[in-house]
């Protein structure tokens, strides 16, 4: 067995894509304090910021996520957190990121136009590509339990901005599946697909396999979490046959309580069954993790070997929405990584 230091070094050298990452979930309490100093007469103390990140269960986590997002106010805030996120990813050997941004929260709770905030994100994305060589693109995420009218604002904004900003590649739905399934979004998903956007959905995170069937039925190309597929052999068969990518987020599932323990997590059973799985960090600042931790966890707790980790890195590239030429190039680099 190699020493842990060289294990981490290997993980870092592997070119990887991060496919399930929320921009707002990368904001650490320390960063929130910095932002508060810019805006607030009485800025947040670190302990106050840390208190925002405390939650006991999945519903509490969604409220914490909303509380952080509400504190992001200006284009400069979005520029700052985007640059910092991409800098951190590049240090972990992430070469490409497809990042969810919670446009739904901005529209529903703040009732302001998203476009100026998006301009800040785009400035940082371009700068980070120049500075670190990392590429990124955006997935506009709606909140399920705000309903289809709100989601329509999010998806139509993505379609409207896409021609000027090709870095917008898709749409998705997050939030609370226990309150709203996928069916109400069927027509909006079809409309987004016709507009040339890729379709993703958080599904089977906090509900059973019916949540994943629902997401597949409205055309989701990738499934976020997909935890409960393990309980439905027929669904497992379909996911294997169609090689639908599952964006696995182990630390997230444990910390939100959606998965009771490491021993219960299906990641290894999915891999052994031939599902197309990728490792991801979801909201790293809220789950005290990052992508290299997730690879390390897979190795330490689920006995994924180096060759398995290489395969997971390759899956992340194959499951991405990158053009074929870039995929081929990155897959060659992964093969050659020693
Ligand atoms: N928004 C941010 N992270 C999320 C998650 N893990 N599930 C649902 N909505 C989210
Ligand atoms: Zn998520």
């Amino acid at each position: 067995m190699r020493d842990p230091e060289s294990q981490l070094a290997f993980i870092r050298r592997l070119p990887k894509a991060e496919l399930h990452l929320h921009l707002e979930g990368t904001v650490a309490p320390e960063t929130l304090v910095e932002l508060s100093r810019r805006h607030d007469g009485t800025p947040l103390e670190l302990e106050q910021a840390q208190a925002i990140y405390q939650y006991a269960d999945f519903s509490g986590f969604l409220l914490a996520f909303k509380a952080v997002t509400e504190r992001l106010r200006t284009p400069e805030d979005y520029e700052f957190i985007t640059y910092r996120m991409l800098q951190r990813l590049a240090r972990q050997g992430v070469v490409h990121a497809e990042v969810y941004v919670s446009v739904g929260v901005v529209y529903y709770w703040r009732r302001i136009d998203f476009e100026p905030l998006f301009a800040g994100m785009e400035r940082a994305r371009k700068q980070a590509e120049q500075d670190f060589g990392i590429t990124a693109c955006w997935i506009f995420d709606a909140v399920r339990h705000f309903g289809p009218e709100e989601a329509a604002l999010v998806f139509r904004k993505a379609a409207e901005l896409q021609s000027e900003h090709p870095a917008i590649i898709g749409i998705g739905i997050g939030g609370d599946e226990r309150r709203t399934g996928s069916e109400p979004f069927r027509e909006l998903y079809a409309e987004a697909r016709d507009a040339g956007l890729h379709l993703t959905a958080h599904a089977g995170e906090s509900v059973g396999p019916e949540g994943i069937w629902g997401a597949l039925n409205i055309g989701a190309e990738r499934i976020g979490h997909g935890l409960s597929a393990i309980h439905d052999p027929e669904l497992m068969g379909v996911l294997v046959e169609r090689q639908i990518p599952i964006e696995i987020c182990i630390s997230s599932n444990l910390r939100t309580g959606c998965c009771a323990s490491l021993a219960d997590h299906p990641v290894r059973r999915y891999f052994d069954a031939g599902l197309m799985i990728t490792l991801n960090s979801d909201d790293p600042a809220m789950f005290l993790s990052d992508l290299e931790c997730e690879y390390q966890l897979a190795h330490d707790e689920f006995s994924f070997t180096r060759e398995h980790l290489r395969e997971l890195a390759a899956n992340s590239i194959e499951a991405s929405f990158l053009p074929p030429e870039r995929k081929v190039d990155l897959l060659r680099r992964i093969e050659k990584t020693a």
Side-chain angles (χ1 to χ4, degrees):
M1 172 89 110
R2 291 172 203 245
D3 65 276
E5 185 53 40
S6 77
Q7 187 60 38
L8 183 62
F10 171 72
I11 290 170
R12 215 167 265 178
R13 280 196 301 276
L14 263 183
K16 301 172 284 302
E18 165 74 275
L19 303 181
H20 191 121
L21 174 68
H22 297 261
L23 171 63
E24 304 83 349
T26 67
V27 178
E30 292 77 11
T31 307
L32 210 56
V33 168
E34 275 181 73
L35 296 174
S36 173
R37 288 207 189 103
R38 293 180 181 186
H39 300 307
D40 302 330
T42 318
L44 285 174
E45 298 289 338
L46 184 59
E47 300 73 52
Q48 291 170 309
Q50 281 164 338
I52 295 172
Y53 290 69
Q54 303 299 319
Y55 52 88
D57 54 18
F58 184 64
S59 303
F61 157 71
L62 289 177
L63 287 173
F65 184 85
K66 168 181 166 270
V68 173
T69 305
E70 279 176 335
R71 284 178 167 79
L72 303 171
R73 303 201 190 138
T74 65
E76 290 71 31
D77 291 352
Y78 276 82
E79 182 173 1
F80 177 59
I81 64 168
T82 299
Y83 190 81
R84 197 167 263 194
M85 168 187 74
L86 293 171
Q87 185 175 39
R88 289 216 182 100
L89 288 173
R91 284 191 198 130
Q92 299 167 57
V94 174
V95 291
H96 176 68
E98 302 190 345
V99 183
Y100 292 104
V101 54
S102 275
V103 183
V105 175
V106 172
Y107 280 137
Y108 190 72
W109 289 107
R110 299 196 50 217
R111 296 275 159 206
I112 57 168
D113 186 16
F114 184 65
E115 203 169 331
L117 304 178
F118 182 66
M121 289 160 51
E122 278 287 85
R123 279 198 296 277
R125 181 186 66 76
K126 290 173 191 160
Q127 191 61 48
E129 184 168 346
Q130 267 183 32
D131 294 350
F132 315 119
I134 184 171
T135 56
C137 46
W138 306 113
I139 300 174
F140 279 24
D141 211 24
V143 181
R144 284 171 180 279
H145 53 272
F146 295 166
E149 291 81 19
E150 296 295 327
L153 298 178
V154 174
F155 300 168
R156 287 179 188 150
K157 185 53 87 174
E160 176 198 323
L161 295 180
Q162 193 199 27
S163 50
E164 203 187 322
H165 299 279
I168 300 171
I169 38 119
I171 54 97
I173 35 176
D176 198 338
E177 295 172 83
R178 296 167 303 184
R179 291 163 66 183
T180 316
S182 292
E183 200 50 40
F185 303 93
R186 175 186 287 281
E187 279 166 26
L188 291 175
Y189 264 52
E191 185 184 317
R193 186 187 48 227
D194 291 346
L197 292 160
H198 286 291
L199 311 179
T200 72
H202 285 65
E205 180 186 20
S206 58
V207 301
E210 70 283 2
I212 303 171
W213 284 115
L216 294 178
N217 286 341
I218 64 166
E221 297 165 67
R222 281 200 320 233
I223 300 293
H225 299 282
L227 260 183
S228 55
I230 196 73
H231 305 299
D232 183 337
E234 190 190 344
L235 177 59
M236 290 284 283
V238 169
L239 294 173
V240 171
E241 193 186 307
R242 291 179 51 194
Q243 287 291 285
I244 303 283
I246 312 290
E247 304 156 359
I248 297 280
C249 311
I250 305 170
S251 297
S252 162
N253 300 150
L254 296 170
R255 298 237 152 79
T256 58
C258 288
C259 181
S261 70
L262 266 175
D264 288 326
H265 201 285
V267 60
R268 184 64 207 227
R269 284 171 284 165
Y270 283 0
F271 183 80
D272 292 341
L275 264 73
M276 167 51 139
I277 60 165
T278 64
L279 298 182
N280 305 276
S281 65
D282 203 7
D283 301 284
M286 309 188 78
F287 301 135
L288 309 175
S289 184
D290 60 19
L291 192 59
E292 57 190 25
C293 280
E294 297 300 307
Y295 274 71
Q296 191 82 54
L297 197 60
H299 173 267
D300 294 349
E301 301 291 340
F302 295 94
S303 306
F304 282 85
T305 64
R306 280 194 179 202
E307 285 319 303
H308 293 147
L309 297 184
R310 191 193 302 280
E311 196 174 328
L312 293 175
N315 283 356
S316 74
I317 302 302
E318 276 165 19
S320 74
F321 298 133
L322 282 169
E325 326 74 75
R326 177 109 192 276
K327 286 190 182 181
V328 168
D329 176 50
L330 288 170
L331 289 170
R332 280 211 191 101
R333 282 179 52 195
I334 290 172
E335 245 171 62
K336 285 196 215 130
T337 304

